[in-house]
Amino acid sequence: MKRLILLTTLLSLFVSIACNRPKNYIEKEIVFNDKLTPEQKIKLAAYLVPTKKQYEWQKLELTAFIHFGINTFTGREWGDGTEDPDLFNPTDLNAEQWVVALKEGGFKMIILTAKHHDGFCLWPTKTTEHSVASSSWRDGGGDVVRELKSACDKHDMKFGVYLSPWDRNAPSYGDSPEYNKMFVQQLCELLSNYGEIHEVWFDGANAEGPNGKKQIYDWKAFYHVIDSLQPKAVKAIMGDDVRWVGNEQGLGRETEWSVTPLRADIHENASEENQRLEISATAKDLGSRKLIEKAHSIYWYPSEVDVSIRSGWFYHPEQDAQVKSLEELVNIYYQSVGMNSVLLLNVPPDRRGLIHEIDAARLKEFGEYVRKTFEDNKMNESHSYWKAKNGDFREYSIKQGETINTILLQEDIEKGQRVEVFKVEGLIDGSWNKLTEGTTIGYKRILRFEDVVPEKIRITIIETRVSANIKEIGAYYAGEYTTDTLDINLNYIDKDWVKVMETNPLTVDIQGKEIEISGFSYMPNQETESVYKYKFMLSSDGKKWSEPSSQREFGNIKNNPMRQYIHFDAPYKARYFKLEIMEGTEGGKPTINPSQIAIIIP
Ligand code: FUL
């Protein structure tokens, strides 16, 4: 990594020669000299570029997550590490089917949850017995990492690993040096025994260890292992090559700067500096002039949009009817790839070890839709490289009689990200009409507008930090969707009958008589704090209470506030339930409305 401290006096020379001499671009990080003026800082920001591996990663555009593990078999989103490894028993695992399905969807890389927060390892690690080697799957001789990596190699698919730093099984978790040693060894195994790895994904979730101690991660050591064993791998999320977009809903930012003062955790004093600038991964503005002017340093730190094709990250049979529709997936595409981000779409294999037929069919539809839309540029002449100053415009004629509703623009980010405002107009019946407008472009910006049949389109670069390098322009027609969303089909009780006996803790007479109950569900608040830890109890007489499930938390509810389903091991007879709130997603005690709870009957 280059650390450049540039003096004001050198700046004008630097800027004037940079245009023709790519070696003057600065990779990944610039530390500003105190004497720079705000305007000089903005100019420098325009010369910050991605590293080679960041650029290769950005060009993938579509990448996929595979969440698979113990949770697939317990129905949970966050396992607690006490699960019996033998629960892991896919009946028909076929990693090649995953790769083929994702390839049909247009995906170029697969990232596997080699270890999720429950600590169960999908490869036969030497670091713990909590792995596939202790399961009866393939008589304890299986290795999901190897099977998937081989299938990826066969089909020319890149491969990455998700290794959760938070480990709820490891007894050493919380004894920092001890656990860090184990984590380094796990990384070494994954990064040296399976060939080339293109992305290492470290999630940010963590909590206290079983010993009540807080784990302090040795990020420097982890990064050192990655950089030495897999120099081509980008480090994502708790890493400094790839930034979390800030939500798990598939929503990019309208204004998305890859050049940002947001410091990744690899940097010393990251949280102090981010706090000083009042920014975090979830902030709306991560790269405006105002922000850069206040910054001491800036980074090439591009956004990755992670979202699941289902509401959960892991496969749950009750979500078979909730696979995102083609329309939802296409919207996510426009909000991620179309907003200067890489999409990381999760497609979780089921208990057979296969991508479910519904998900596979949706991937195919999605791949076909995107290919069909963007293979047919409606412009007569193709775009040639364009160096645009403030106010410059270019016109392109559209094939006669063709309808368009989509525009695609790309900056040559190997020469920085620069455009701040642009507009697109169409010449219709002899007059220019504004079709759409935008702020940042970056690697790729795709915008949709009403169907029009223009003779020409006109692109104007209204504001740019220094001359913009426009690499690609295209005009397309995105057609109608063909699939429908299926309705949720769950067995609930007669909701009109329900009687609330008490509100704190919420105590409910469910149907006025004992019924068989196989689980319950909770719909979290979307805008305010939700329930994270709870105690759910059942009773036949309203006096003697028992807990039908050992589960006491809704895993990952903060980042992914979807409906939560808790299934008991066996159906339970009861008349009343009581839900005690132990802790909210923000550490408080949120209130709960009875309509947020549904009882599941067998
Ligand atoms: C989150 C995790 O806690 C989820 O379980 C999931 O792995 C998601 C991609 O990241 O923070």
Side-chain angles (χ1 to χ4, degrees), residues 86 188 215 217 252 307 316 322 377 413 429 446 480 484 556:
D86 209 27
C188 287
Q215 173 70 32
Y217 300 116
V307 59
H316 308 293
Q322 296 174 327
N377 192 343
I413 57 165
D429 298 332
I446 314 174
E480 302 283 320
D484 307 318
N556 200 33

Side-chain angles (χ1 to χ4, degrees), residues 65 67 77-78 116-117 162 201 203 205 248 306 313 556 559:
F65 240 158
H67 274 65
E77 278 289 295
W78 279 2
H116 202 253
H117 311 328
Y162 171 119
W201 216 92
D203 187 65
E248 295 184 357
D306 63 327
W313 288 101
N556 200 33
N559 285 332

Side-chain angles (χ1 to χ4, degrees), residues 29-76:
E29 175 183 356
I30 297 177
V31 177
F32 291 134
N33 182 290
D34 292 348
K35 299 193 180 71
L36 292 178
T37 65
E39 201 47 39
Q40 286 169 326
K41 282 182 170 179
I42 302 299
K43 277 196 175 162
L44 270 180
Y47 286 86
L48 187 59
V49 296
T51 59
K52 185 159 184 317
K53 65 184 173 187
Q54 284 179 312
Y55 185 55
E56 291 305 315
W57 168 85
Q58 186 89 52
K59 284 193 291 182
L60 298 177
E61 300 188 6
L62 293 175
T63 63
F65 240 158
I66 293 273
H67 274 65
F68 188 55
I70 275 290
N71 294 335
T72 314
F73 300 89
T74 58
R76 298 176 72 167

